[in-house]
Amino acid sequence: MNQSVLKSKFIGALIGTAIGDAIGMPYEGLTHQEVNATCTLPLEMQDGRLPKGSYTDDTELAIGIAESLITNKGLVDKNHILQRFIENFDRKRGYGFGTISILQKKANAKTLFGTGSYGNGAAMRIAPISLVYYDTPTNLYEAVAKCSEITHAHVLGIEGAQIQAHAIAIALRSIQSTHSLDATEFVNEIMGIAKQDVYKQKLHKILNLLNEKGDHQLVIDELGNGVEAFNSVPSAVYSFLSNLNSFEDAVTYAVCLGKDTDTIAAMTGAIAGAYLGVEAIPSEWIDCLENKDFIKNLAERIFHLKST
Ligand code: R7I
Ligand code: MG
Ligand code: MG
Protein backbone atom coordinates (compact mmCIF):
# COMPACT_ATOMS: atom_id res chain seq x y z
CA MET A 1 0.00 0.00 0.00
CA ASN A 2 1.13 3.55 -0.73
CA GLN A 3 2.84 4.87 2.44
CA SER A 4 1.05 8.22 2.46
CA VAL A 5 -2.31 6.41 2.24
CA LEU A 6 -1.32 4.16 5.13
CA LYS A 7 -0.17 7.14 7.20
CA SER A 8 -3.50 8.88 6.62
CA LYS A 9 -5.28 5.71 7.79
CA PHE A 10 -3.12 5.58 10.97
CA ILE A 11 -3.99 9.20 11.75
CA GLY A 12 -7.63 8.52 10.81
CA ALA A 13 -7.88 5.71 13.39
CA LEU A 14 -6.61 7.84 16.30
CA ILE A 15 -8.23 11.13 15.32
CA GLY A 16 -11.37 9.12 14.47
CA THR A 17 -11.45 7.75 18.02
CA ALA A 18 -11.19 11.23 19.53
CA ILE A 19 -13.69 12.80 17.11
CA GLY A 20 -16.30 10.10 17.75
CA ASP A 21 -15.73 10.47 21.49
CA ALA A 22 -16.08 14.28 21.43
CA ILE A 23 -19.08 14.36 19.11
CA GLY A 24 -20.88 11.70 21.20
CA MET A 25 -19.92 13.22 24.58
CA PRO A 26 -22.92 15.60 24.99
CA TYR A 27 -25.43 12.77 24.47
CA GLU A 28 -23.95 10.01 26.68
CA GLY A 29 -26.73 8.39 28.70
CA LEU A 30 -29.65 9.72 26.61
CA THR A 31 -31.95 7.24 24.91
CA HIS A 32 -32.13 7.02 21.13
CA GLN A 33 -35.40 8.98 21.24
CA GLU A 34 -33.89 11.67 23.49
CA VAL A 35 -30.83 12.07 21.25
CA ASN A 36 -33.08 12.48 18.21
CA ALA A 37 -35.16 15.09 20.03
CA THR A 38 -32.05 16.99 21.20
CA CYS A 39 -29.69 17.02 18.24
CA THR A 40 -29.92 18.63 14.83
CA LEU A 41 -28.30 17.10 11.78
CA PRO A 42 -25.66 17.48 10.51
CA LEU A 43 -24.16 16.93 13.95
CA GLU A 44 -21.84 19.61 15.23
CA MET A 45 -19.48 19.62 18.19
CA GLN A 46 -21.53 20.76 21.21
CA ASP A 47 -20.98 21.55 24.86
CA GLY A 48 -21.91 18.73 27.21
CA ARG A 49 -20.57 17.98 30.66
CA LEU A 50 -17.27 19.14 29.09
CA PRO A 51 -16.83 22.09 26.69
CA LYS A 52 -17.42 21.36 23.01
CA GLY A 53 -14.63 19.52 21.26
CA SER A 54 -13.45 17.86 24.48
CA TYR A 55 -12.74 14.16 24.54
CA THR A 56 -13.50 11.86 27.46
CA ASP A 57 -11.85 8.87 29.17
CA ASP A 58 -12.03 6.84 25.94
CA THR A 59 -9.45 9.04 24.22
CA GLU A 60 -7.43 9.85 27.34
CA LEU A 61 -6.80 6.11 27.81
CA ALA A 62 -6.02 5.60 24.10
CA ILE A 63 -3.45 8.41 24.41
CA GLY A 64 -1.83 6.59 27.36
CA ILE A 65 -1.53 3.39 25.31
CA ALA A 66 -0.09 5.29 22.33
CA GLU A 67 2.49 7.04 24.53
CA SER A 68 3.55 3.77 26.11
CA LEU A 69 3.85 1.98 22.75
CA ILE A 70 6.04 4.79 21.43
CA THR A 71 8.33 4.71 24.49
CA ASN A 72 8.60 0.91 24.32
CA LYS A 73 8.99 0.70 20.55
CA GLY A 74 5.68 -1.10 20.03
CA LEU A 75 5.94 -3.60 22.89
CA VAL A 76 3.03 -3.90 25.31
CA ASP A 77 4.37 -3.32 28.83
CA LYS A 78 1.37 -3.62 31.14
CA ASN A 79 2.97 -1.81 34.09
CA HIS A 80 4.13 1.03 31.91
CA ILE A 81 0.69 1.45 30.30
CA LEU A 82 -0.93 1.46 33.76
CA GLN A 83 1.55 4.14 34.81
CA ARG A 84 0.62 6.27 31.79
CA PHE A 85 -3.10 5.76 32.61
CA ILE A 86 -2.52 6.90 36.21
CA GLU A 87 -0.43 9.94 35.21
CA ASN A 88 -2.96 11.05 32.56
CA PHE A 89 -6.04 10.37 34.74
CA ASP A 90 -8.35 13.37 34.82
CA ARG A 91 -11.50 12.49 36.70
CA LYS A 92 -13.69 15.07 34.97
CA ARG A 93 -13.48 13.04 31.74
CA GLY A 94 -16.00 10.55 33.15
CA TYR A 95 -14.27 7.24 33.77
CA GLY A 96 -16.11 3.98 34.45
CA PHE A 97 -16.37 3.01 38.11
CA GLY A 98 -14.20 -0.10 37.72
CA THR A 99 -11.47 1.66 35.79
CA ILE A 100 -11.29 4.45 38.39
CA SER A 101 -10.93 1.83 41.15
CA ILE A 102 -7.99 0.22 39.33
CA LEU A 103 -6.27 3.54 38.59
CA GLN A 104 -6.64 4.53 42.24
CA LYS A 105 -5.27 1.11 43.25
CA LYS A 106 -8.43 0.37 45.24
CA ALA A 107 -9.30 -2.78 43.29
CA ASN A 108 -7.77 -5.70 41.46
CA ALA A 109 -8.69 -6.16 37.79
CA LYS A 110 -9.21 -9.93 38.24
CA THR A 111 -11.76 -9.58 41.06
CA LEU A 112 -13.56 -6.40 39.98
CA PHE A 113 -17.33 -7.14 39.78
CA GLY A 114 -16.50 -10.73 40.87
CA THR A 115 -14.87 -12.02 37.70
CA GLY A 116 -13.35 -8.89 36.17
CA SER A 117 -15.03 -6.10 34.19
CA TYR A 118 -16.84 -6.70 30.91
CA GLY A 119 -17.29 -2.96 30.38
CA ASN A 120 -16.31 -1.54 27.00
CA GLY A 121 -13.34 0.32 28.51
CA ALA A 122 -10.73 -2.03 27.03
CA ALA A 123 -12.30 -1.89 23.54
CA MET A 124 -12.82 1.87 23.33
CA ARG A 125 -9.10 2.67 23.86
CA ILE A 126 -7.57 -0.06 21.68
CA ALA A 127 -6.82 1.75 18.37
CA PRO A 128 -3.08 2.35 19.08
CA ILE A 129 -2.54 -1.40 19.52
CA SER A 130 -4.17 -1.99 16.11
CA LEU A 131 -1.77 0.50 14.54
CA VAL A 132 1.27 -1.42 15.77
CA TYR A 133 -0.04 -4.94 15.10
CA TYR A 134 -2.51 -4.50 12.20
CA ASP A 135 -0.36 -6.59 9.86
CA THR A 136 0.14 -9.57 12.21
CA PRO A 137 -3.27 -10.80 13.47
CA THR A 138 -1.84 -13.39 15.88
CA ASN A 139 0.37 -10.81 17.55
CA LEU A 140 -2.55 -8.37 17.57
CA TYR A 141 -4.69 -10.93 19.42
CA GLU A 142 -2.04 -11.43 22.12
CA ALA A 143 -1.20 -7.73 22.44
CA VAL A 144 -4.89 -6.79 22.89
CA ALA A 145 -5.33 -9.42 25.62
CA LYS A 146 -2.34 -8.06 27.54
CA CYS A 147 -3.43 -4.45 27.17
CA SER A 148 -7.03 -5.21 28.19
CA GLU A 149 -6.19 -7.26 31.30
CA ILE A 150 -4.76 -4.17 32.99
CA THR A 151 -8.33 -3.11 33.81
CA HIS A 152 -10.72 -5.60 32.12
CA ALA A 153 -10.06 -9.21 33.09
CA HIS A 154 -13.48 -10.65 32.13
CA VAL A 155 -13.33 -12.79 29.01
CA LEU A 156 -16.16 -10.74 27.45
CA GLY A 157 -14.33 -7.47 28.14
CA ILE A 158 -11.16 -8.82 26.50
CA GLU A 159 -12.95 -10.40 23.53
CA GLY A 160 -14.83 -7.16 22.89
CA ALA A 161 -11.48 -5.38 22.65
CA GLN A 162 -10.15 -8.10 20.35
CA ILE A 163 -13.10 -7.74 17.98
CA GLN A 164 -12.79 -3.95 17.95
CA ALA A 165 -9.01 -4.15 17.41
CA HIS A 166 -9.37 -6.62 14.54
CA ALA A 167 -12.08 -4.50 12.93
CA ILE A 168 -9.65 -1.53 12.97
CA ALA A 169 -6.84 -3.74 11.63
CA ILE A 170 -8.93 -5.06 8.72
CA ALA A 171 -10.00 -1.48 7.94
CA LEU A 172 -6.33 -0.39 7.90
CA ARG A 173 -5.45 -3.22 5.51
CA SER A 174 -8.41 -2.53 3.20
CA ILE A 175 -7.97 -0.16 0.33
CA GLN A 176 -10.97 2.01 -0.38
CA SER A 177 -11.67 1.89 -4.08
CA THR A 178 -14.55 1.91 -6.47
CA HIS A 179 -15.37 -1.57 -5.18
CA SER A 180 -16.73 -1.11 -1.68
CA LEU A 181 -15.37 -3.30 1.06
CA ASP A 182 -17.34 -6.55 1.29
CA ALA A 183 -19.24 -6.43 4.59
CA THR A 184 -19.76 -10.21 4.69
CA GLU A 185 -16.04 -10.87 4.26
CA PHE A 186 -15.29 -8.24 6.90
CA VAL A 187 -17.62 -9.85 9.45
CA ASN A 188 -16.44 -13.37 8.57
CA GLU A 189 -12.85 -12.37 9.18
CA ILE A 190 -13.75 -11.02 12.63
CA MET A 191 -15.81 -14.18 13.25
CA GLY A 192 -12.52 -16.10 12.96
CA ILE A 193 -11.33 -14.74 16.32
CA ALA A 194 -14.70 -14.78 18.15
CA LYS A 195 -14.95 -17.55 20.75
CA GLN A 196 -17.79 -16.42 23.02
CA ASP A 197 -21.37 -17.18 21.98
CA VAL A 198 -22.67 -13.68 22.57
CA TYR A 199 -20.17 -12.24 20.09
CA LYS A 200 -20.68 -15.02 17.51
CA GLN A 201 -24.44 -14.45 17.68
CA LYS A 202 -24.17 -10.68 17.40
CA LEU A 203 -21.76 -10.91 14.46
CA HIS A 204 -24.38 -13.03 12.66
CA LYS A 205 -27.02 -10.46 13.56
CA ILE A 206 -24.88 -7.73 11.99
CA LEU A 207 -25.07 -9.55 8.65
CA ASN A 208 -28.85 -9.98 8.95
CA LEU A 209 -29.30 -6.31 9.89
CA LEU A 210 -27.19 -5.17 6.93
CA ASN A 211 -29.45 -7.17 4.61
CA GLU A 212 -32.59 -5.80 6.25
CA LYS A 213 -31.21 -2.23 6.41
CA GLY A 214 -32.02 -2.25 10.15
CA ASP A 215 -33.38 0.95 11.66
CA HIS A 216 -31.95 2.34 14.89
CA GLN A 217 -34.46 0.71 17.23
CA LEU A 218 -33.97 -2.72 15.68
CA VAL A 219 -30.19 -2.35 15.93
CA ILE A 220 -30.50 -1.30 19.59
CA ASP A 221 -32.76 -4.30 20.31
CA GLU A 222 -30.49 -6.78 18.52
CA LEU A 223 -27.00 -5.43 19.22
CA GLY A 224 -27.40 -3.04 22.17
CA ASN A 225 -26.21 0.47 23.02
CA GLY A 226 -24.94 -0.03 26.57
CA VAL A 227 -21.66 0.20 28.44
CA GLU A 228 -21.00 -3.56 28.33
CA ALA A 229 -18.49 -4.55 25.63
CA PHE A 230 -20.95 -7.04 24.08
CA ASN A 231 -23.65 -4.33 23.96
CA SER A 232 -21.50 -1.75 22.18
CA VAL A 233 -18.64 -3.24 20.12
CA PRO A 234 -21.00 -5.04 17.66
CA SER A 235 -23.04 -1.83 17.35
CA ALA A 236 -19.90 0.11 16.41
CA VAL A 237 -18.99 -2.49 13.78
CA TYR A 238 -22.53 -2.24 12.41
CA SER A 239 -22.48 1.60 12.41
CA PHE A 240 -19.32 1.44 10.29
CA LEU A 241 -20.47 -1.28 7.90
CA SER A 242 -23.87 0.30 7.28
CA ASN A 243 -22.22 3.64 6.34
CA LEU A 244 -19.09 2.41 4.59
CA ASN A 245 -18.26 5.41 2.50
CA SER A 246 -18.88 8.27 4.91
CA PHE A 247 -17.09 8.90 8.21
CA GLU A 248 -19.70 11.51 9.10
CA ASP A 249 -22.65 9.20 8.43
CA ALA A 250 -21.08 6.29 10.34
CA VAL A 251 -20.35 8.36 13.44
CA THR A 252 -23.71 10.15 13.27
CA TYR A 253 -25.44 6.76 13.07
CA ALA A 254 -23.54 5.61 16.18
CA VAL A 255 -24.43 8.73 18.20
CA CYS A 256 -28.11 8.39 17.26
CA LEU A 257 -28.22 4.91 18.83
CA GLY A 258 -28.14 6.70 22.20
CA LYS A 259 -26.89 5.54 25.66
CA ASP A 260 -23.12 4.98 25.42
CA THR A 261 -22.84 7.51 22.60
CA ASP A 262 -19.28 8.73 23.18
CA THR A 263 -17.91 5.22 23.26
CA ILE A 264 -19.90 3.68 20.39
CA ALA A 265 -19.04 6.73 18.27
CA ALA A 266 -15.35 6.57 19.32
CA MET A 267 -15.16 2.91 18.28
CA THR A 268 -17.05 3.58 15.04
CA GLY A 269 -14.78 6.56 14.35
CA ALA A 270 -11.67 4.43 14.88
CA ILE A 271 -12.80 1.85 12.30
CA ALA A 272 -14.14 4.40 9.78
CA GLY A 273 -11.04 6.59 10.17
CA ALA A 274 -8.79 3.54 9.65
CA TYR A 275 -10.69 2.65 6.48
CA LEU A 276 -11.24 6.09 4.93
CA GLY A 277 -8.19 8.01 6.23
CA VAL A 278 -8.06 11.32 8.07
CA GLU A 279 -9.05 13.34 4.96
CA ALA A 280 -12.52 11.78 5.18
CA ILE A 281 -13.19 13.31 8.61
CA PRO A 282 -15.14 16.59 8.41
CA SER A 283 -12.68 19.47 8.89
CA GLU A 284 -15.21 21.41 11.04
CA TRP A 285 -15.09 18.52 13.51
CA ILE A 286 -11.29 18.29 13.51
CA ASP A 287 -10.89 22.08 13.86
CA CYS A 288 -12.87 21.95 17.10
CA LEU A 289 -11.11 18.91 18.61
CA GLU A 290 -9.07 19.37 21.76
CA ASN A 291 -5.36 18.43 21.44
CA LYS A 292 -5.77 17.45 17.79
CA ASP A 293 -2.12 18.12 16.89
CA PHE A 294 -0.88 16.06 19.81
CA ILE A 295 -3.12 13.11 18.90
CA LYS A 296 -2.14 13.35 15.23
CA ASN A 297 1.52 13.38 16.25
CA LEU A 298 1.08 10.19 18.30
CA ALA A 299 -0.32 8.43 15.22
CA GLU A 300 2.56 9.75 13.10
CA ARG A 301 5.12 8.52 15.61
CA ILE A 302 3.59 5.03 15.63
CA PHE A 303 3.62 5.12 11.82
CA HIS A 304 7.34 5.95 11.85
CA LEU A 305 7.94 3.18 14.40
CA LYS A 306 6.37 0.75 11.91
CA SER A 307 8.25 2.05 8.90
CA THR A 308 11.77 2.01 10.41
O1 R7I B 1 -15.37 -0.32 31.06
P1 R7I B 1 -15.16 0.94 31.78
O2 R7I B 1 -13.84 1.60 31.70
O3 R7I B 1 -16.28 1.97 31.37
C1 R7I B 1 -16.27 2.58 30.14
C2 R7I B 1 -17.43 3.49 30.05
C3 R7I B 1 -17.50 4.19 28.72
O4 R7I B 1 -18.85 4.44 28.39
C4 R7I B 1 -16.79 5.49 28.99
O5 R7I B 1 -17.20 6.50 28.10
C5 R7I B 1 -17.13 5.81 30.43
O6 R7I B 1 -18.32 6.50 30.57
O7 R7I B 1 -17.29 4.52 31.04
O8 R7I B 1 -15.54 0.82 33.31
P2 R7I B 1 -16.12 -0.38 34.17
O9 R7I B 1 -16.60 0.23 35.44
O10 R7I B 1 -15.10 -1.46 34.26
O11 R7I B 1 -17.35 -0.95 33.33
C6 R7I B 1 -18.44 -0.12 33.04
C7 R7I B 1 -19.70 -0.59 33.76
O12 R7I B 1 -20.09 -1.85 33.21
C8 R7I B 1 -19.51 -0.87 35.24
O13 R7I B 1 -19.50 0.31 36.00
C9 R7I B 1 -20.69 -1.81 35.50
O14 R7I B 1 -21.88 -1.08 35.62
C10 R7I B 1 -20.74 -2.63 34.23
N1 R7I B 1 -19.99 -3.91 34.38
C11 R7I B 1 -20.43 -4.97 35.03
N2 R7I B 1 -21.58 -5.20 35.68
C12 R7I B 1 -21.76 -6.41 36.25
N3 R7I B 1 -20.81 -7.40 36.17
C13 R7I B 1 -18.78 -4.19 33.91
N4 R7I B 1 -18.40 -5.44 34.24
C14 R7I B 1 -19.42 -5.97 34.94
C15 R7I B 1 -19.63 -7.25 35.54
O15 R7I B 1 -18.81 -8.17 35.49
MG1 MG C 1 -16.17 8.28 27.81
MG1 MG D 1 -19.00 6.09 27.12
Side-chain angles (χ1 to χ4, degrees):
M1 186 185 302
N2 177 309
Q3 288 299 290
S4 67
V5 171
L6 187 60
K7 187 172 175 183
S8 169
K9 286 156 102 34
F10 268 51
I11 299 168
L14 277 207
I15 291 280
T17 299
I19 289 282
D21 185 9
I23 205 101
M25 172 271 290
Y27 309 101
E28 192 178 19
L30 302 183
T31 62
H32 157 61
Q33 288 78 7
E34 287 166 341
V35 174
N36 272 13
T38 315
C39 75
T40 47
L41 299 181
L43 275 185
E44 288 177 13
M45 291 287 188
Q46 299 283 352
D47 291 338
R49 52 188 172 75
L50 298 170
K52 72 174 174 181
S54 305
Y55 54 75
T56 78
D57 57 328
D58 307 44
T59 304
E60 189 158 84
L61 290 162
I63 287 172
I65 294 172
E67 291 172 328
S68 182
L69 289 170
I70 291 164
T71 303
N72 294 302
K73 304 208 172 354
L75 291 178
V76 177
D77 176 335
K78 288 164 71 162
N79 287 329
H80 189 263
I81 293 174
L82 177 60
Q83 213 44 49
R84 294 306 315 139
F85 286 172
I86 292 169
E87 279 166 31
N88 290 344
F89 177 56
D90 180 352
R91 199 184 185 113
K92 74 171 187 297
R93 298 204 189 264
Y95 281 71
F97 167 81
T99 299
I100 294 185
S101 316
I102 306 275
L103 301 192
Q104 295 182 332
K105 304 199 172 176
K106 289 179 181 159
N108 179 310
K110 288 207 173 89
T111 52
L112 199 62
F113 305 116
T115 50
S117 172
Y118 53 55
N120 52 22
M124 70 192 186
R125 68 187 189 213
I126 209 67
I129 301 281
S130 299
L131 299 188
V132 174
Y133 296 98
Y134 78 97
D135 49 355
T136 50
T138 311
N139 294 348
L140 177 63
Y141 191 85
E142 294 303 323
V144 172
K146 261 173 126 177
C147 184
S148 301
E149 284 159 8
I150 300 166
T151 50
H152 290 69
H154 197 291
V155 66
L156 295 176
I158 296 171
E159 188 155 308
Q162 273 157 343
I163 290 172
Q164 171 65 13
H166 281 76
I168 298 169
I170 301 166
L172 286 169
R173 294 198 302 264
S174 304
I175 297 172
Q176 199 212 7
S177 67
T178 43
H179 306 288
S180 262
L181 182 150
D182 186 307
T184 306
E185 276 176 27
F186 190 95
V187 172
N188 283 340
E189 195 168 340
I190 298 175
M191 199 84 82
I193 59 139
K195 295 185 177 145
Q196 303 301 314
D197 285 345
V198 63
Y199 287 112
K200 288 187 192 167
Q201 285 158 8
K202 290 200 172 183
L203 288 168
H204 279 296
K205 285 181 180 178
I206 289 175
L207 292 176
N208 295 339
L209 288 163
L210 287 169
N211 290 332
E212 294 163 16
K213 295 255 172 279
D215 66 9
H216 282 96
Q217 192 56 55
L218 189 59
V219 172
I220 295 163
D221 294 344
E222 299 276 304
L223 303 179
N225 59 0
V227 76
E228 303 80 12
F230 46 88
N231 283 328
S232 48
V233 173
S235 312
V237 173
Y238 179 82
S239 298
F240 163 65
L241 288 175
S242 58
N243 297 279
L244 264 184
N245 294 313
S246 166
F247 181 93
E248 180 175 349
D249 290 352
V251 164
T252 300
Y253 189 95
V255 171
C256 290
L257 290 172
K259 292 291 176 179
D260 201 356
T261 51
D262 63 330
T263 302
I264 301 175
M267 296 192 292
T268 304
I271 310 170
Y275 179 53
L276 299 169
V278 68
E279 291 81 10
I281 303 177
S283 53
E284 314 82 73
W285 287 359
I286 296 187
D287 289 345
C288 196
L289 179 68
E290 175 188 14
N291 281 341
K292 52 185 171 296
D293 293 332
F294 175 68
I295 296 168
K296 179 170 177 253
N297 183 253
L298 290 173
E300 286 170 345
R301 286 161 72 190
I302 297 178
F303 179 77
H304 289 305
L305 204 73
K306 287 290 286 180
S307 45
T308 50

